[in-house]
Amino acid sequence: MLTQSLYHTFKRYRTLQSHTISALPIVILMPHSACNCRCIMCDIWKDNKNLKQLNESDIQSLLDSFKLFGTKQILMSGGEAMLNPNFFTLCSILKQQGLKVSVLSTGLSLKKNASALIAFTDEVIVSLDGDEQIHDFIRNVPGAFSKMAEGIAAIKNIKPEYKITARTVIHRHNFKIWSKIIEAAKDLRLDQISFLPADVSSHAFNREVLWSSDRQDEVVIAKKDLQLLEEIADDIVSLKKQTPNFIAESEQKLLNIVQYYHAVHKLADFPYKKCNAPWVSAVIEADGSVKPCFFHASFGNIRTDTLSSILNSDKAKSFRKNLNMNLNETCKRCVCYLNLSPRTNPAA
């Protein structure tokens, strides 16, 4: 077992150096293209009518590549992944391969799927946008908070140690109640919470057309409020010191949210980020498209080629070799970066 672990670590180092994927610890799957929320900061729901979803054959076709690359963790994302009618069948296939399955969810369908989530997945990450009033407003779904709360309680009542965490996008509509979001997370019996700023400048989240400045202004924290944001962020850093494990981000990453919004207003550079996502992970969308991360263009499609051949195609290797994250505008503005050390086991 130790020999296998060392060999996998070696392959991850080799991937980073050669730009040829020989190890791929994390894969993000989007089982379903639609969403059951209508969030202010996201456009995924606007394309609900054009349904796309992964099927059992798609998942089966990936298993050889997962084995070849020593994949450890599968993150089910969306949209809302559980809208796929065969979602738990897909999870079962993955679990049978010894893979850790994590689920990103709006939280609306946790209650009815509580037992299945415990049986076929390892953790859930819910989207938490505020206290009850603000959360429902941002999600544009009446009762969204209470449904999520009931679902979390249902899971915890069956298996208290089952891991449920939250992810929060901080923006114009909730930054003033940042501390209340943390209180809400504790009241919900969540195990941890993480924060990131709102992406307003990429094609991710179903934006075929980039947002206009007016649309961005609906989400971006206003210039006149940046001083208040700084003060609030300082308070959150103090809370981080009191409960260091409950808030996932480091103190610096929390302050980077402030710098990010200064940069959006051209008052600072975007925060420096160290990211190796294209070397350690891949995103497979509901139509089978394969991307190096959420924000860059597709390399190919698993319905026409194997994942391994797509990721090590000339196009993909050239992308990784020539990607300079300090100069690439998409990377500079990225809000959701990943930096995974070759020694880190994401399935731990």
Side-chain angles (χ1 to χ4, degrees), residues 162-199:
Y162 184 90
K163 187 176 182 181
I164 310 177
T165 61
R167 181 175 296 176
T168 300
V169 178
I170 294 295
H171 50 75
R172 174 188 290 261
H173 299 282
N174 64 3
F175 82 96
K176 293 179 182 178
I177 62 159
W178 197 340
S179 62
K180 289 186 177 181
I181 298 172
I182 296 171
E183 291 175 12
K186 291 179 178 178
D187 291 342
L188 290 167
R189 297 165 62 190
L190 295 174
D191 297 288
Q192 194 177 56
I193 188 168
S194 65
F195 300 98
L196 69 162
D199 170 60

Side-chain angles (χ1 to χ4, degrees), residues 162-344:
Y162 184 90
K163 187 176 182 181
I164 310 177
T165 61
R167 181 175 296 176
T168 300
V169 178
I170 294 295
H171 50 75
R172 174 188 290 261
H173 299 282
N174 64 3
F175 82 96
K176 293 179 182 178
I177 62 159
W178 197 340
S179 62
K180 289 186 177 181
I181 298 172
I182 296 171
E183 291 175 12
K186 291 179 178 178
D187 291 342
L188 290 167
R189 297 165 62 190
L190 295 174
D191 297 288
Q192 194 177 56
I193 188 168
S194 65
F195 300 98
L196 69 162
D199 170 60
V200 296
S201 59
S202 81
H203 281 286
F205 312 110
N206 194 43
R207 295 176 193 145
E208 292 186 6
V209 178
L210 292 177
W211 279 0
S212 67
S213 58
D214 287 344
R215 179 68 178 93
Q216 291 183 33
D217 287 344
E218 294 174 13
V219 175
V220 168
I221 296 172
K223 186 186 294 187
K224 66 180 179 61
D225 288 328
L226 291 178
Q227 179 61 45
L228 176 59
L229 173 63
E230 290 183 26
E231 295 168 4
I232 291 171
D234 286 340
D235 291 338
I236 301 304
V237 168
S238 297
L239 287 175
K240 164 73 177 178
K241 292 176 180 177
Q242 296 170 25
T243 54
N245 295 323
F246 190 71
I247 298 175
E249 281 70 31
S250 66
E251 295 172 20
Q252 185 57 57
K253 283 189 175 182
L254 292 170
L255 295 176
N256 282 351
I257 295 175
V258 178
Q259 185 178 340
Y260 172 86
Y261 282 111
H262 276 79
V264 170
H265 289 290
K266 297 182 169 60
L267 299 174
D269 293 330
F270 283 94
Y272 168 77
K273 55 191 68 70
K274 189 176 182 181
C275 175
N276 59 14
W279 290 264
V280 301
S281 66
V283 175
I284 302 174
E285 297 197 322
D287 64 355
S289 298
V290 178
K291 294 182 172 183
C293 69
F294 286 104
F295 303 97
H296 285 283
S298 170
F299 295 143
N301 194 293
I302 60 169
R303 290 173 178 164
T304 55
D305 294 289
T306 64
L307 178 63
S308 57
S309 64
I310 293 168
L311 291 179
N312 283 325
S313 65
D314 290 343
K315 181 179 180 180
K317 288 192 287 188
S318 177
F319 170 82
R320 290 188 291 270
K321 183 177 180 180
N322 295 303
L323 181 61
N324 185 330
M325 294 184 178
N326 294 321
L327 298 178
N328 184 278
E329 286 300 319
T330 297
C331 292
K332 284 166 61 176
R333 292 171 170 268
C334 183
V335 300
C336 191
Y337 50 94
L338 169 70
N339 185 51
L340 192 67
S341 164
R343 296 181 180 275
T344 303

Side-chain angles (χ1 to χ4, degrees), residues 35-150:
C35 191
N36 51 11
C37 286
R38 301 164 63 87
C39 298
I40 289 171
M41 63 287 186
C42 179
D43 287 345
I44 290 175
W45 58 272
K46 293 182 179 179
D47 198 41
N48 280 0
K49 62 182 181 299
N50 295 317
L51 175 63
K52 297 177 282 290
Q53 57 188 11
L54 297 176
N55 55 45
E56 293 178 47
S57 178
D58 294 325
I59 303 303
Q60 292 286 357
S61 74
L62 293 168
L63 298 183
D64 286 344
S65 293
F66 291 166
K67 184 176 181 180
L68 175 67
F69 292 141
T71 301
K72 306 292 184 184
Q73 181 181 15
I74 305 298
L75 180 61
M76 298 294 215
S77 186
E80 171 53 67
M82 283 185 282
L83 288 176
N84 187 313
N86 297 311
F87 176 74
F88 290 106
T89 300
L90 307 186
C91 292
S92 177
I93 294 170
L94 297 168
K95 289 296 291 179
Q96 288 171 21
Q97 304 302 311
L99 294 159
K100 177 181 178 180
V101 178
S102 305
V103 183
L104 281 168
S105 176
T106 62
L108 298 184
S109 58
L110 293 182
K111 185 177 180 180
K112 70 176 182 180
N113 293 308
S115 297
L117 283 164
I118 292 169
F120 297 109
T121 73
D122 295 281
E123 65 175 340
V124 167
I125 305 158
V126 296
S127 298
L128 177 63
D129 294 304
D131 56 17
E132 183 167 6
Q133 180 181 2
I134 297 297
H135 180 87
D136 288 1
F137 168 74
I138 291 172
R139 294 271 128 188
N140 202 14
V141 176
F145 186 93
S146 62
K147 289 177 182 177
M148 179 174 63
E150 289 172 1

